[in-house]
């Protein structure tokens, strides 16, 4: 019995999540995401996966973000013949994300890495798992999803197999959300040691050495910035992942509207993706937490209010860029590397009345990181743009658990004696710091695998 795990992405980096588990020649992939950030990332996105793709029985998606699903269509070209599994909401989101990225791929100057037909081929293999905590058998693997609290449908994935009659299990954390965040349930901590124990854990570490501000400050800060914008007539630009962050911000703004604090200031969600994602959120209310369910029962749809507008097509987007007076604009991409937020930034960064609110993780070498670090000049489409806008980071809105949140999640996991951890999905210093924390606090063997590294699971 040979079991091994190959790290094909998000190893000493935050993007490109992809893990290949092999047990006696049967393969399972967990996530197959896009690398983001620079030229090197673009090159790596085009490289074929150095694994036996036809031997992969299933690809399990932890959630629908591009950096977890974006390389999926490449598998179609490599002879993938398995199933694409995940929570129903995850598959809905993945479909929307992949259709969108196929469109972008067409415009790639290096030629498309894949086409709509590859997306279609993978979509036809999608099959929703029955939900959380319901094991499903695929070849030698038993696969179970647990709430990860990150975005709609997000899951930690436990995979069990038998080795010489003994059960062995690995848990992939997926991206872990923040406990106490609104709308969705918290990352699962209610494990059953008899059923859920694991020998190996692959855990994310995006904020492995950082703490977020408290949640209560988020609303205050948001309120402060919005009030300032109303006073000086400026724009509030919020670069946000269309999926997850956008809905969480809408939830916060809805609460402000209900409390009479938004004074009719228009809120524009610019981009078709944000719109479709919000619809998917409204379809899967089974993923909502108690508070959001209470709102629904009272007749308040938590992601809708009168002053909310959406700009679906390009013309509506241009109109949003030219909008007079104060407005809150939410647009992708979250790290400002692409998407419609760039048009708004180009137009409004030189205006000192503009506020840019950074609400998500900003990876190195992205425009978002440049703004966060206070650069006074940035380049947008080859044009130098002066930054006179105020840039504020609200870390409490992050979609990722912070250092203590990650450790708390780990502390609840039922681990078998000798359990080991692989710390991934973080920039190297973050991953190393979190690995140290795991071994100091829990006495587990914690490694920070490199890209392409193969770990024996025995
Ligand atoms: Zn994510």
């Amino acid at each position: 019995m040979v079991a091994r795990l190959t790290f094909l992405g998000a190893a000493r980096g935050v993007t490109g999540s992809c893990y290949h588990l092999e047990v006696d020649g049967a393969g399972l992939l967990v996530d197959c995401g896009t690398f983001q950030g620079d030229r090197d990332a673009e090159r790596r996105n085009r490289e074929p996966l150095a694994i036996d793709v036809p031997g992969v029985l299933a690809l399990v998606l932890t959630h629908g973000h591009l950096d977890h699903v974006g390389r999926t269509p490449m598998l179609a070209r490599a002879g993938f013949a398995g199933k694409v599994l995940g929570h129903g909401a995850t598959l809905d989101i993945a479909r929307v994300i992949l259709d969108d990225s196929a469109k972008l791929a067409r415009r790639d100057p290096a030629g498309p890495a894949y086409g709509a037909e590859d997306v279609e081929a993978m979509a036809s293999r999608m099959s929703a798992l029955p939900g959380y905590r319901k094991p499903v058998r695929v070849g030698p693997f038993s696969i179970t999803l647990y709430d990860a609290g990150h975005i709609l449908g997000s899951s930690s994935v436990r995979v069990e197999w038998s080795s010489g009659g003994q059960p062995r299990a690995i848990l992939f954390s997926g991206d872990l959300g923040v406990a106490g965040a609104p709308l969705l349930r918290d990352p699962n901590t209610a494990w059953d040691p008899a059923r859920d124990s694991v020998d190996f854990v692959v855990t994310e570490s995006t904020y492995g050495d950082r703490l977020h501000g408290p949640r209560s400050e988020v609303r205050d800060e948001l309120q402060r910035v919005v009030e300032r914008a109303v006073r000086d007539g400026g724009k509030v630009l919020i670069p946000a992942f269309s999926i997850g962050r956008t809905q969480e911000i809408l939830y916060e703004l809805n609460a402000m509207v209900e409390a009479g604090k938004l004074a009719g200031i228009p809120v524009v969600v610019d981009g078709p993706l944000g719109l479709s994602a919000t619809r998917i959120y409204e379809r899967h209310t089974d993923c909502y937490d108690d508070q959001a369910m209470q709102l629904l029962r009272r007749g308040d749809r938590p992601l809708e209010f009168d002053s909310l507008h959406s700009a679906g097509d390009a013309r509506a987007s241009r109109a949003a860029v030219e909008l007079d007076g104060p407005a809150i604009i939410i647009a992708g991409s979250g790290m400002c590397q692409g998407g419609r937020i760039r048009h708004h930034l180009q137009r409004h960064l030189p205006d000192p009345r503009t506020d840019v609110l950074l609400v998500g993780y900003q990876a190195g070498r992205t425009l978002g990181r440049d703004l966060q670090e206070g650069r006074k000049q940035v380049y947008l489409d080859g044009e130098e743009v002066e930054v006179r806008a105020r840039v504020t980071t609200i870390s409490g809105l992050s979609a990722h658990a912070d250092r203590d949140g990650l450790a708390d999640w780990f502390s609840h996991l039922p681990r078998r004696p000798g359990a080991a951890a692989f710390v991934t999905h973080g920039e190297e210093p973050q991953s190393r710091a979190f690995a140290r924390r795991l071994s100091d606090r829990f006495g587990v063997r914690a490694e920070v695998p490199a890209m392409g590294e193969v770990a024996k699971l025995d």
Side-chain angles (χ1 to χ4, degrees), residues 63 65 67-68 150 175 400:
H63 65 290
H65 275 151
D67 62 320
H68 293 257
H150 170 64
D175 288 5
H400 289 270

Side-chain angles (χ1 to χ4, degrees), residues 24 105 139 162 168 198 202 247-248 251 254 260 302 311 348 390 421 435 437 441-442:
D24 270 352
S162 159
R168 303 289 274 167
V198 293
V202 177
Q247 291 72 34
E248 205 172 313
Y251 185 95
N254 176 64
H348 298 297
R390 276 173 300 231
R437 184 163 288 262
R441 189 167 152 193
F442 304 104

